[in-house]
Amino acid sequence: MYDKSKEMFQRAQLFIPGGVNSPVRAFNSVGGTPVFFQKAKGSIMTDVDGKDYIDYIGSWGPMILGHAWEPVVKAVQAVTANSSSFGAPTEIETDIAELICDMMPAVEKVRMVNSGTEACMSAIRLARAYTKREKFIKFEGCYHGHADQFLIKAGSGAITLGVPNSPGVTEGTAKDTLLAKYNNLESVRALFETNPTEISAIIIEPVAGNMGCIPPAKGFLEGLRSLCDEFGALLIFDEVMTGFRLSSGGAHKYFNINPDLVTMGKIIGGGMPVGAFGGKREIMSMIAPEGPVYQAGTLSGNPMAMTAGLTLLKELHSNPSIFEDLEEKGAYLEKGFRQVFEKHAVPICINRVGSMISFHFTSGKMENFDDACNADADLFKQLFHEVLKRGIYFAPSAFETLFIPHTHTMAMLDQTVEAIDAGLTSMLQ
Ligand SMILES: *Cc1c(COP(=O)(O)O)cnc(C)c1O
């Protein structure tokens, strides 16, 4: 098994740092050789050795309607024949912008970029310019891309002081990023009280998906909204993962909260590299060339990416039964997970919102990053490989959520639970 993947990984490591173009793909947190893929259709990915897997990553979100969804493939092929990029305006950019403003209640104007990272770093720049303040709050365990200002972890001493989480990030940058604890309003209030006129924004994943799936506690997001209002800061929802997934309008529509700015990515590109940020007209009008805040991109809004995104978004917009179906499948899988872990008497915390689901090996609570770090990583690692060899492709890290696409059948969900059952049997014997 995995012979060709092993060979390809050997060669890749000679020319690509770590053999991959994004770290989590390298299997570092689960060990073993990453699987190389050749093709995928619907729910099934095929590796280079010809083995099939039921996919729970969906390219980290975009494949919500399954891989190689025909309308996207066809539309991209057609538009590419007329050039993949002009570096000049096209009407399709307005088509997708108008549709996003229609779908997302908090978005009145939107700027397209090329990744979620770009979207988040631009949203912070805009929030700083709008409020004329330099600091912002992020939550431990939330991911907003790899811009310097987000690669900050909590310092060991004073809770308010962030420190660089990667070599190359300066202490000067770190001092403007304040760290709070997810689902803990007191930790946020404390930051505002020590910095009452310096905080430009709070940025948050409205459902955390980068420490496993951790939903917001009741009243948490509402509490952030009122703290922002009280202290004159902007509320930024990072919907790169939740946007167009939890509902056609993302998490802020799902929870009925009104953020000032929203960042998007993943699904919005239909599998192409796309991000976007948008929000209240008054704030977005500060972006160049309408306003003074500089933001640009040579390939931003290119016809291939816009066509892929527009085709996918149109379907999610016009077919609300997709979200009902995702909820139904999510609930079904959650039930299967609960039964199988209970059967083996393995303590587990299962979190789910719609089609985002994860399990943490712990008998404790799962409300923030500290809780996620306390779960048993070794059990995750073992189970990951047990199900992988049985043809189930979970995210190769306990700190990622699983995504259920529309194309998964009930039989596939059953097969997944059966693989866990067999995996746990062999682990625990
Ligand atoms: C994936 C992700 C990002 C980064 O997006 P990229 O396109 O990988 O740069 C930002 N925020 C969240 C919540 C994400 O899940």
Side-chain angles (χ1 to χ4, degrees):
M1 229 175 0
Y2 309 128
D3 293 344
K4 286 191 182 155
S5 283
K6 281 178 188 154
E7 262 170 50
M8 287 180 189
F9 189 50
Q10 287 294 331
R11 177 161 163 259
Q13 285 169 291
L14 298 177
F15 304 106
I16 303 172
V20 293
N21 280 310
S22 198
V24 73
R25 296 176 200 170
F27 276 28
N28 280 350
S29 62
V30 290
T33 302
V35 184
F36 279 54
F37 287 94
Q38 52 166 318
K39 62 178 181 186
K41 179 74 192 167
S43 291
I44 305 296
M45 297 206 295
T46 308
D47 76 10
V48 288
D49 288 287
K51 181 175 162 64
D52 285 345
Y53 303 81
I54 299 173
D55 178 25
Y56 281 91
I57 301 187
S59 190
W60 304 98
M63 302 307 170
I64 188 165
L65 300 185
H67 287 271
W69 187 56
E70 197 109 342
V72 165
V73 174
K74 290 215 162 111
V76 170
Q77 280 169 343
V79 80
T80 307
N82 290 331
S83 182
S84 51
S85 182
F86 303 98
T90 55
E91 191 176 20
I92 190 171
E93 294 165 85
T94 311
D95 292 341
I96 192 169
E98 185 178 3
L99 181 59
I100 292 164
C101 293
D102 239 32
M103 291 173 80
M104 292 215 153
V107 178
E108 294 173 338
K109 265 191 180 178
V110 60
R111 167 61 59 85
M112 304 304 302
V113 295
N114 302 292
S115 69
T117 297
E118 257 191 86
C120 294
M121 76 180 204
S122 306
I124 293 290
R125 181 182 305 144
L126 176 57
R128 286 171 160 163
Y130 183 79
T131 58
K132 303 191 176 68
R133 298 172 173 190
E134 298 197 349
K135 296 185 189 301
F136 72 93
I137 295 175
K138 84 173 278 287
F139 294 87
E140 283 175 69
C142 281
Y143 182 68
H144 306 292
H146 68 93
D148 285 8
Q149 65 220 24
F150 301 122
L151 299 183
I152 309 294
K153 61 183 174 192
S156 45
I159 167 180
T160 57
L161 212 64
V163 297
N165 203 10
S166 163
V169 174
T170 66
E171 280 168 26
T173 296
K175 77 175 185 10
D176 289 327
T177 302
L178 308 177
L179 273 299
K181 286 192 190 300
Y182 204 83
N183 280 327
N184 182 331
L185 283 175
E186 279 65 49
S187 72
V188 182
R189 175 169 283 282
L191 292 174
F192 272 117
E193 281 171 355
T194 34
N195 305 271
T197 58
E198 292 169 83
I199 296 171
S200 60
I202 296 176
I203 185 167
I204 185 164
E205 290 179 67
V207 171
N210 285 287
M211 42 183 163
C213 174
I214 300 189
K218 205 167 173 357
F220 178 59
L221 298 174
E222 290 82 353
L224 295 180
R225 180 67 271 178
S226 25
L227 280 169
C228 283
D229 293 341
E230 186 181 339
F231 288 93
L234 300 187
L235 181 60
I236 306 172
F237 271 14
D238 178 350
E239 297 233 32
V240 171
M241 192 178 277
T242 54
F244 316 108
R245 171 167 294 280
L246 296 188
S247 77
S248 61
H252 69 280
K253 184 173 175 194
Y254 186 90
F255 293 115
N256 193 23
I257 310 276
N258 187 19
D260 300 290
L261 293 173
V262 177
T263 61
M264 293 155 259
K266 300 191 168 121
I267 288 180
I268 203 180
M272 294 281 189
V274 182
F277 62 105
K280 299 207 161 67
R281 185 171 290 112
E282 182 199 349
I283 306 172
M284 288 304 292
S285 297
M286 288 189 73
I287 294 287
E290 192 170 343
V293 179
Y294 194 69
Q295 196 287 318
T298 301
L299 292 173
S300 296
N302 73 78
M304 282 168 83
M306 295 303 98
T307 297
L310 182 63
T311 308
L312 186 55
L313 292 190
K314 270 188 182 159
E315 179 69 12
L316 298 176
H317 183 50
S318 64
N319 194 351
S321 70
I322 290 171
F323 296 97
E324 288 161 26
D325 173 74
L326 291 176
E327 170 59 33
E328 198 181 309
K329 285 172 180 162
Y332 185 81
L333 187 65
E334 178 183 347
K335 191 165 157 233
F337 278 3
R338 289 194 190 285
Q339 285 168 347
V340 73
F341 287 108
E342 196 175 315
K343 172 179 165 191
H344 292 273
V346 174
I348 201 84
C349 179
I350 295 163
N351 283 337
R352 181 184 70 87
V353 182
S355 57
M356 291 168 65
I357 183 166
S358 70
F359 50 86
H360 290 91
F361 286 96
T362 175
S363 50
K365 60 187 175 47
M366 191 50 58
E367 292 167 2
N368 59 36
F369 188 58
D370 295 337
D371 296 341
C373 293
N374 284 334
D376 190 326
D378 193 55
L379 281 179
F380 180 87
K381 203 165 150 170
Q382 289 179 43
L383 185 64
F384 170 82
H385 285 289
E386 289 292 340
V387 301
L388 186 72
K389 69 184 182 206
R390 293 175 172 86
I392 308 294
Y393 197 86
F394 282 169
S397 160
F399 289 82
E400 303 290 348
T401 184
L402 306 179
F403 299 110
I404 305 163
H406 188 47
T407 42
H408 276 24
T409 60
M410 294 305 185
M412 289 173 181
L413 302 177
D414 288 340
Q415 206 180 319
T416 306
V417 173
E418 282 157 21
I420 294 180
D421 191 10
L424 287 173
T425 303
S426 80
M427 278 162 67
L428 301 170
Q429 76 193 353

